[in-house]
Amino acid sequence: MKNVLILGANGQLARNTTRVFLRDTDARLTLYLRRASRLRNPDPKRVTIVEGDVLDRTRLEATMKGQDVVYANLSGAMRQQAESIVAAMNATGLKRLVFISSMGIYGEVPGERYGSMLDPYRDSAARIEASNLDYTILRPGWFTQDDEISYQITQKGQPFKGHDVSLNSLSDLIVKLALTPGMESRHSLGVSRR
Ligand SMILES: NC(=O)c1ccc[n+]([C@@H]2O[C@H](COP(=O)([O-])OP(=O)(O)OC[C@H]3O[C@@H](n4cnc5c(N)ncnc54)[C@H](OP(=O)(O)O)[C@@H]3O)[C@@H](O)[C@H]2O)c1
């Protein structure tokens, strides 16, 4: 039974993925977020809620002890967050990281130039790729709310295919990545509707 730490647990995709973890797996979850009173504990037997900022290294490291996998679902100051995560994982000996980024960070979306808007995503991905971690970076298309699970993956260096992807598709992939040893290790994946 794996212990999964979810950073930015009140995010839209993180909340959907928490639901899928609890429904489809026996993983134990630690939900790490700012202002924790916003989140109701969905299953107190399997879920621990920790109030914290990813930039708070002391709290982050303390929360990483005993975890197997880190799933980061963040926004905002992502370069600094990636630095904090990599340092805390190195300090605690944790290896497996699933990190949510965005399509477009390598200029891989045909006909689109996202410019400086994506700099925090580019910089955070570069920090993670320069680490020794067993990471998988996801570069999703635009999120949709529909139920279907249907997605295709493109590797770094390939043009991104498609445009959008359902939250349920992303959650399906994140759960598999978190619980399958070696799956897409040290890869950066474009993810879009098939
Ligand atoms: N929506 C799309 O179509 C789309 C497409 C491609 C990529 N993405 C990207 O995918 C990522 C996940 O999406 P989402 O919709 O789940 O994002 P979201 O709802 O904005 O969630 C991001 C979470 O990060 C948390 N966070 C930010 N800084 C933090 C810090 N220092 N410490 C702890 N938590 C922090 C935020 O917490 P607070 O609530 O406390 O601010 C927020 O809950 C985002 O980066 C998004 O830009 C989105």
Side-chain angles (χ1 to χ4, degrees):
M1 193 191 300
K2 288 248 170 84
N3 293 314
V4 180
L5 172 60
I6 303 182
L7 304 178
N10 200 42
Q12 177 184 212
L13 175 58
R15 280 185 276 113
N16 196 65
T17 306
T18 295
R19 181 180 59 77
V20 176
F21 267 119
L22 293 175
R23 186 192 65 197
D24 295 350
T25 81
D26 63 359
R28 284 190 296 248
L29 307 179
T30 300
L31 308 182
Y32 188 94
L33 71 159
R34 304 186 286 200
R35 293 192 289 128
S37 60
R38 290 177 291 172
L39 208 58
R40 183 187 63 84
N41 190 325
D43 184 349
K45 288 199 198 78
R46 291 172 61 194
V47 177
T48 305
I49 296 182
V50 174
E51 179 162 292
D53 191 305
V54 167
L55 300 177
D56 180 346
R57 274 281 310 281
T58 308
R59 176 154 303 212
L60 187 61
E61 265 187 50
T63 309
M64 282 185 178
K65 298 214 170 89
Q67 305 289 344
D68 300 301
V69 180
V70 178
Y71 154 40
N73 191 107
L74 297 162
S75 61
M78 293 186 61
R79 178 178 59 77
Q80 295 87 337
Q81 291 163 12
E83 283 168 356
S84 183
I85 292 166
V86 170
M89 289 183 74
N90 285 338
T92 51
L94 256 174
K95 284 289 185 199
R96 184 69 178 127
L97 171 66
V98 179
F99 188 90
I100 308 303
S101 182
S102 172
M103 66 174 167
I105 60 170
Y106 308 120
E108 79 279 22
V109 182
E112 298 279 358
R113 298 173 74 92
Y114 290 103
S116 60
M117 180 180 81
L118 287 186
D119 282 349
Y121 294 85
R122 293 186 185 100
D123 295 346
S124 51
R127 291 297 190 284
I128 290 163
E129 289 169 324
S131 77
N132 291 320
L133 296 175
D134 170 11
Y135 68 80
T136 305
I137 295 169
L138 293 190
R139 293 175 279 111
W142 294 111
F143 301 171
T144 66
Q145 303 279 347
D146 49 291
D147 285 338
E148 75 166 347
I149 296 176
S150 162
Y151 55 92
Q152 60 186 332
I153 284 171
T154 47
Q155 296 288 343
K156 182 175 181 181
Q158 297 180 321
F160 191 88
K161 291 184 192 154
H163 182 264
D164 57 9
V165 64
S166 72
L167 287 166
N168 283 344
S169 296
L170 291 168
S171 296
D172 180 83
L173 178 59
I174 292 163
V175 167
K176 289 191 171 98
L177 288 166
L179 301 183
T180 311
M183 181 175 170
E184 300 289 359
S185 181
R186 298 187 65 80
H187 290 177
S188 171
L189 309 177
V191 195
S192 61
R193 182 186 309 277
R194 179 181 292 281

